[in-house]
Amino acid sequence: MAELPELLVLAQQMDAELAGRRFSEVEVVQEKCLNLPPTQFASELVGRSVERARNHGKWIFLDLSEGAHLLLNLGMGADTLYYRAGESYDPEHRVRFHFEDGSGFTCRFWWFGHTHLVTTGELAQHSPTVSLGPLALSPEMDRQRFATLLDGGRARVKNVLTDQKRISGIGNVYIQDILFRARVHPLLPVAQLDEAGVDRLYQAMVETLQLAYDKRGLAYERDFYGKPGGVTTDDFLVAYREGKPCPVCGTTIEKIKTGATASFICPQCQPAPG
């Protein structure tokens, strides 16, 4: 599933390609991904132009002319692919957006994807996005803001960092190495973190996500042009490396259950809370 590094890349590519283009046609194969009836969705979109693309959390926002916004949520994974004028596109994709100049893009959601069209007034009440926290990689996410958002009392550190209403963009892939770099066990209650622990977590979050962004995201995710990212399992420190030696101390990496998800830890570098 795409997380912040992949979505930053995708949003930046969409912004570079789509700004100024005007929609001419919309084709919908999977109606369940829409928030409006297909005919209404298409009629309200056609004729509008893209002003910019950006991402917030795990959503891509296309800000449109005349006070509208096209919102894309990639769910548990998706292909969102651009085609140039004269190029072919995948006719099996769930939603296909075509522009007046002959270019366009298509979406194929693997699982639980959404395509919503809302007005600026409705955006303030759009429940899936209005409560999203600030991006984990953003100018506003300095150490002080991070510490404030991290305040979770008895909540577990992993749960707090992956709570999109607190800090948006971190999922179960990158959280593994964030916690390892910070030498924090995923089940540690936030209340037990000292100032040094908060500092380590903040630095680990920035370092882990920035490294992944610099490599253009995960190798099993494709960008707007269909190219895979550069992050492979060999780049992970502990994530999905069960049974391998810890890169710091050599202890065998373990896979443990943490609520509804699994976590990968070094039991020596990330001791369980007492």
Side-chain angles (χ1 to χ4, degrees), residues 90-110:
D90 192 330
E92 299 300 320
H93 279 205
R94 302 297 188 271
V95 190
R96 302 185 287 272
F97 301 94
H98 309 294
F99 296 107
E100 290 180 349
D101 66 355
S103 67
F105 69 97
T106 63
C107 297
R108 179 178 71 88
F109 301 114
W110 304 348

Side-chain angles (χ1 to χ4, degrees), residues 22-271:
R22 189 180 305 275
F23 291 96
S24 61
E25 184 184 3
V26 180
E27 298 178 272
V28 179
V29 177
Q30 175 55 269
E31 300 179 7
K32 291 182 179 179
C33 69
L34 304 182
N35 67 324
L36 298 172
T39 301
Q40 180 185 357
F41 179 85
S43 65
E44 293 190 11
L45 190 57
V46 169
R48 298 183 190 271
S49 59
V50 178
E51 295 183 344
R52 67 167 178 159
R54 55 192 173 92
N55 83 290
H56 191 175
K58 298 181 180 180
W59 287 78
I60 299 290
F61 286 57
L62 294 183
D63 297 331
L64 310 178
S65 59
E66 303 175 55
H69 308 270
L70 179 63
L71 311 180
L72 305 175
N73 183 285
L74 306 189
M76 299 300 290
D79 292 316
T80 304
L81 301 176
Y82 175 68
Y83 70 88
R84 296 174 178 82
E87 292 182 342
S88 60
Y89 55 86
D90 192 330
E92 299 300 320
H93 279 205
R94 302 297 188 271
V95 190
R96 302 185 287 272
F97 301 94
H98 309 294
F99 296 107
E100 290 180 349
D101 66 355
S103 67
F105 69 97
T106 63
C107 297
R108 179 178 71 88
F109 301 114
W110 304 348
W111 196 19
F112 294 135
H114 301 284
T115 306
H116 293 180
L117 182 63
V118 299
T119 65
T120 299
E122 293 169 338
L123 187 61
Q125 304 298 322
H126 186 247
S127 58
T129 60
V130 71
S131 61
L132 290 173
L135 287 174
L137 284 182
S138 65
E140 62 182 309
M141 186 59 76
D142 57 15
R143 194 270 183 203
Q144 182 177 357
R145 183 73 185 279
F146 176 79
T148 300
L149 294 167
L150 198 63
D151 183 14
R154 298 178 63 182
R156 311 295 186 179
V157 171
K158 180 181 179 181
N159 292 342
V160 171
L161 287 178
T162 56
D163 180 355
Q164 301 304 299
K165 294 181 179 180
R166 289 178 180 267
I167 302 171
S168 62
I170 303 173
N172 203 51
V173 175
Y174 293 114
I175 189 62
Q176 313 292 343
D177 283 3
I178 291 173
L179 294 173
F180 174 74
R181 280 191 168 96
R183 304 191 302 279
V184 171
H185 193 280
L187 296 180
L188 180 74
V190 171
Q192 294 185 24
L193 279 172
D194 56 16
E195 288 294 313
V198 174
D199 288 340
R200 292 197 308 272
L201 270 176
Y202 175 72
Q203 294 300 328
M205 178 186 72
V206 172
E207 180 180 358
T208 300
L209 296 177
Q210 187 65 50
L211 285 171
Y213 170 73
D214 290 343
K215 289 196 171 188
R216 315 307 281 169
L218 295 165
Y220 60 78
E221 294 282 352
R222 294 197 290 172
D223 66 12
F224 203 37
Y225 306 110
K227 296 180 180 179
V231 178
T232 70
T233 53
D234 291 338
D235 295 301
F236 293 139
L237 300 176
V238 296
Y240 309 99
R241 297 183 64 81
E242 179 185 11
K244 303 290 185 180
C246 168
V248 173
C249 71
T251 302
T252 300
I253 295 168
E254 297 179 356
K255 179 181 179 180
I256 64 172
K257 190 72 174 176
T258 48
T261 62
S263 292
F264 298 85
I265 66 164
C266 169
Q268 179 68 30
C269 296
Q270 298 165 269

